[in-house]
């Protein structure tokens, strides 16, 4: 990061504060990740990426910007990244997983809203996220109440373009969504100054499909072998988190290399956990880095996390965009819409397919239990927990509900609850 100091300064980063945060982040990463035993060799790339995510990757993104390619930051998986990648630009997730920016955010936002939103807003106020500072615009969406109102305030500090995501999936709602996709494409064209062709968008879609396929492969290797868990849940989560920052082509290659090694480990029965370690699935809200609190609590208490049914997880990569029979722009937008409207975020009503999916995932992965995790004040996921846990109970599936924020204060309490849960299953 030091060698990119002048670039960081040019894009308006508060370099001293940023350096301190990176130092803290790296220390925390070392303590939580590098101390794990028997990590796959291929994790070395991701360790390297951790040290360069606010350095070399930022330099790459700003190189693209010099050539009028768009750089778009987002907080939601509804961002149509295929369109951005197709234009030759970069789409990335913005910082929003740290407690260190929340006090600043609370100078403009209420205390009792979700920590993800406050953390992200605070990063902009502090100018300590180089991704936010590199964004031509921030993609906002009308998913939850707190996010959609925050965009109006965030827009005072950085351009935000809001996509109107409906809360139901009737025909008239989907029609609106499709129009929003066309409008999003226009926003991208206004940055490049050129019309985006069908071929470019198909190319972008193919690249993103390949990234999702690599993550699906990683998910299968992590979770589908009853006797072998070849990678820790924490490493699995970290790789997925980096998928929102890295160049998609390089990332896909590195994930596939990791998967080759994991395949071999499965064959050789090399597990990073002891035999009969309880296999847990985590359901709920996204884990923005460096939010590793739950994974650390579980995996230092005798459990293993084999999968995240979350937006930084399965919900993100579960579906691909079908490019068969796409001969014009309208057909492509329809296929994008088909993919995005299959996302089962709790902001939709009703959201029954999510429950069916969870039950199927549990069965397929022969898991031992689930943790339903929500960030504090996330009303949609918190309320939906009732229907999900009821369905789990009916099937006799053990479930622990945890609501938490980013502060380290409840880490001990979470660990105690997880230990008791593990003993009970
Ligand atoms: S598609 S889950 S990424 S909206 S910010 S809803 S945690 S109160 S992130 Fe999300 Fe898109 Fe849905 Fe996925 Fe709750 Fe917080 Fe809102 Fe959140």
């Amino acid at each position: 990061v030091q060698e990119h100091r002048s670039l960081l300064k040019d894009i308006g980063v508060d370099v001293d504060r940023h350096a301190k945060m990176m130092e803290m982040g790296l220390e925390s990463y070392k303590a939580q990740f590098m101390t794990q035993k028997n990590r796959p060799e291929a994790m070395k790339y991701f360790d390297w990426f951790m040290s360069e995510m606010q350095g070399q990757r930022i330099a790459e993104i700003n190189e693209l910007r010099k050539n009028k390619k768009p750089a778009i930051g987002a907080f939601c998986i509804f961002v149509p990244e295929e369109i951005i990648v197709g234009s030759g630009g970069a789409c990335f997730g913005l910082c929003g997983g740290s407690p260190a920016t929340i006090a600043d955010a609370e100078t403009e936002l209420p205390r009792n809203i979700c920590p993800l939103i406050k953390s992200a807003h605070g990063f902009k106020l502090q100018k300590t996220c180089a991704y936010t500072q590199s964004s031509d615009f921030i993609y906002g969406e009308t998913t939850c109440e707190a996010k959609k109102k925050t965009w109006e305030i965030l827009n005072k500090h950085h351009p935000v373009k809001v996509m109107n995501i409906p809360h139901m999936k009737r025909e008239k709602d989907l029609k609106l969504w499709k129009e929003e996709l066309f409008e999003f494409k226009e926003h991208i064209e206004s940055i490049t100054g050129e019309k985006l062709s069908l071929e470019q968008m198909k190319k972008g879609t193919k690249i993103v499909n390949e990234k999702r396929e690599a993550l699906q492969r990683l998910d299968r290797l992590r979770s589908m072998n009853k006797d072998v868990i070849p990678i820790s849940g924490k490493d699995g989560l970290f790789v997925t988190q980096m998928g929102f920052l890295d160049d998609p082509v390089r990332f896909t290659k590195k994930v596939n290399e990791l998967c080759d090694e994991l395949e071999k480990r499965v064959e050789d029965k090399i597990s990073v956990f002891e035999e009969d370690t309880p296999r847990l699935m985590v359901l709920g809200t996204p884990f923005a880095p460096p939010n590793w609190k739950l994974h650390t609590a579980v995996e230092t208490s005798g459990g293993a996390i084999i999968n995240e049914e979350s937006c930084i997880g399965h919900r993100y990569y579960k579906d691909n965009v079908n490019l068969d029979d796409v001969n014009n722009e309208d057909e492509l937008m329809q296929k994008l819409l088909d993919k995005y409207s299959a996302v089962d975020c709790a902001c939709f009503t009703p959201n029954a397919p999510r429950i069916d999916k969870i039950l199927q995932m549990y069965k397929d992965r022969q898991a031992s239990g689930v943790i339903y995790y929500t960030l504090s004040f996330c009303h949609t996921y918190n309320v939906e927990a009732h229907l999900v846990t009821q369905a789990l109970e009916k099937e006799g599936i053990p479930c622990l509900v945890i609501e938490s924020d980013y502060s380290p204060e409840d880490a001990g309490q979470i660990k105690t609850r997880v230990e008791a849960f593990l003993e009970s299953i």
Side-chain angles (χ1 to χ4, degrees):
V1 171
Q2 281 310 317
E3 85 189 65
H4 299 289
R5 205 176 152 90
S6 74
L7 166 67
L8 294 175
K9 216 167 173 180
D10 289 350
I11 58 173
V13 170
D14 178 338
V15 283
D16 293 328
R17 217 166 172 184
H18 178 260
K20 276 197 201 108
M21 274 183 113
M22 274 314 288
E23 209 179 295
M24 272 164 46
L26 284 168
E27 280 311 309
S28 161
Y29 183 80
K30 270 190 208 152
Q32 294 184 73
F33 286 82
M34 309 299 270
T35 50
Q36 298 176 101
K37 288 196 194 104
N38 201 9
R39 294 176 80 213
E41 270 295 297
M43 280 307 294
K44 289 218 168 87
Y45 168 75
F46 299 96
D47 294 338
W48 170 82
F49 191 80
M50 171 70 199
S51 66
E52 285 300 332
M53 68 160 89
Q54 298 266 339
Q56 183 176 315
R57 181 62 186 139
I58 295 301
E60 290 170 2
I61 289 170
N62 282 282
E63 205 46 47
L64 291 176
R65 294 183 76 201
K66 270 196 212 146
N67 297 316
K68 281 181 85 180
K69 301 294 180 198
I72 312 299
F75 297 108
C76 181
I77 61 167
F78 286 130
V79 60
E81 59 178 314
E82 296 82 356
I83 296 177
I84 304 166
V85 173
S87 74
C91 175
F92 38 80
L94 299 173
C95 304
S98 165
T101 55
I102 286 187
D104 288 83
E106 286 175 352
T107 61
E108 295 196 342
L109 297 176
R111 292 192 66 204
N112 56 349
I113 61 166
C114 154
L116 195 156
I117 299 166
K118 282 193 290 183
S119 173
H121 194 73
F123 269 107
K124 181 61 218 184
L125 297 185
Q126 285 188 356
K127 298 189 169 48
T128 44
C129 172
Y131 290 92
T132 306
Q133 294 306 119
S134 302
S135 307
D136 290 306
F137 65 79
I138 293 173
Y139 167 88
E141 14 62 44
T142 54
T143 48
C144 66
E145 302 301 310
K147 275 211 269 193
K148 73 182 171 206
K149 295 309 291 180
T150 297
W151 305 140
E152 296 169 27
I153 303 170
L154 187 60
N155 193 40
K156 292 196 304 177
H157 308 288
H158 203 100
V160 181
K161 303 257 187 238
V162 182
M163 184 188 257
N164 191 356
I165 302 288
H167 292 167
M168 295 178 83
K169 295 177 183 176
R170 300 162 302 182
E171 214 179 309
K172 57 186 172 186
D173 302 309
L174 298 179
K175 191 167 165 271
L176 168 96
W177 196 338
K178 192 163 162 189
E179 284 167 18
E180 294 287 303
L181 285 167
F182 277 105
E183 190 177 297
F184 183 82
K185 178 181 167 260
E186 284 168 19
H187 292 322
I188 296 301
E189 289 171 339
S190 73
I191 297 170
T192 60
E194 283 168 7
K195 273 256 160 253
L196 195 55
S197 71
L198 176 65
E199 283 320 305
Q200 283 174 303
M201 285 194 287
K202 280 171 98 171
K203 189 175 167 213
T205 305
K206 200 168 157 281
I207 291 172
V208 182
N209 274 349
E210 283 167 3
K211 169 163 90 158
R212 286 184 287 245
E213 273 158 23
L215 287 167
Q216 288 162 15
R217 187 177 168 212
L218 175 63
D219 176 34
R220 285 193 299 275
L221 285 158
R222 275 176 77 186
S223 62
M224 296 293 229
N225 301 286
K226 180 92 172 72
D227 309 323
V228 186
I229 307 175
I231 181 169
S232 70
K234 205 153 48 180
D235 278 337
L237 170 69
F238 184 72
V239 171
T240 313
Q241 288 174 331
M242 296 306 103
F244 290 86
L245 302 177
D246 201 353
D247 168 74
V249 175
R250 178 175 58 202
F251 176 79
T252 300
K253 184 169 170 280
K254 294 295 173 186
V255 175
N256 278 320
E257 282 170 20
L258 172 66
C259 289
D260 292 343
E261 185 181 345
L262 299 186
E263 243 161 39
K264 181 88 180 59
R265 282 185 164 211
V266 171
E267 256 171 56
D268 298 343
K269 300 224 176 302
I270 298 174
S271 186
V272 289
F273 297 101
E274 283 170 24
E275 229 182 302
D276 300 328
T277 297
R279 303 153 51 80
L280 302 182
M281 270 174 41
V282 177
L283 323 175
T285 49
F287 296 91
N291 181 13
W292 305 308
K293 188 162 66 173
L294 181 67
H295 286 62
T296 296
V298 170
E299 298 194 339
T300 54
S301 303
I305 294 182
I306 55 167
N307 164 288
E308 295 80 24
E309 182 269 346
S310 141
C311 284
I312 299 196
H314 190 262
R315 196 173 298 119
Y316 169 67
Y317 53 71
K318 72 184 175 76
D319 300 307
N320 263 345
V321 179
N322 179 354
L323 282 175
D324 295 347
D325 306 321
V326 170
N327 299 308
N328 58 47
E329 195 172 296
D330 190 71
E331 285 169 359
L332 179 69
M333 291 304 191
Q334 184 58 45
K335 293 290 176 76
L336 288 176
L337 178 65
D338 293 346
K339 182 248 163 330
Y340 283 103
S341 60
V343 169
D344 46 13
C345 172
C347 70
F348 293 108
T349 183
N351 197 28
R354 178 172 176 230
I355 298 180
D356 299 337
K357 180 200 70 182
I358 289 169
L359 296 177
Q360 190 59 48
M361 282 170 77
Y362 188 84
K363 225 163 114 197
D364 293 345
R365 288 167 177 75
Q366 302 180 64
S368 338
V370 309
I371 296 181
Y372 193 103
Y373 170 83
T374 60
L375 287 168
S376 317
F377 304 111
C378 173
H379 301 321
T380 51
Y381 281 86
N382 255 326
V383 175
E384 198 161 276
H386 174 75
L387 293 175
V388 175
T389 52
Q390 204 173 43
L392 293 169
E393 206 178 308
K394 214 166 137 210
E395 296 294 319
I397 299 173
C399 176
L400 172 68
V401 178
I402 289 186
E403 186 185 337
S404 179
D405 59 16
Y406 292 161
S407 84
E409 276 150 35
D410 62 353
Q413 193 207 10
I414 290 177
K415 195 164 155 54
T416 310
R417 292 188 61 208
V418 167
E419 280 165 359
F421 179 60
L422 290 171
E423 263 171 42
S424 73
I425 55 181

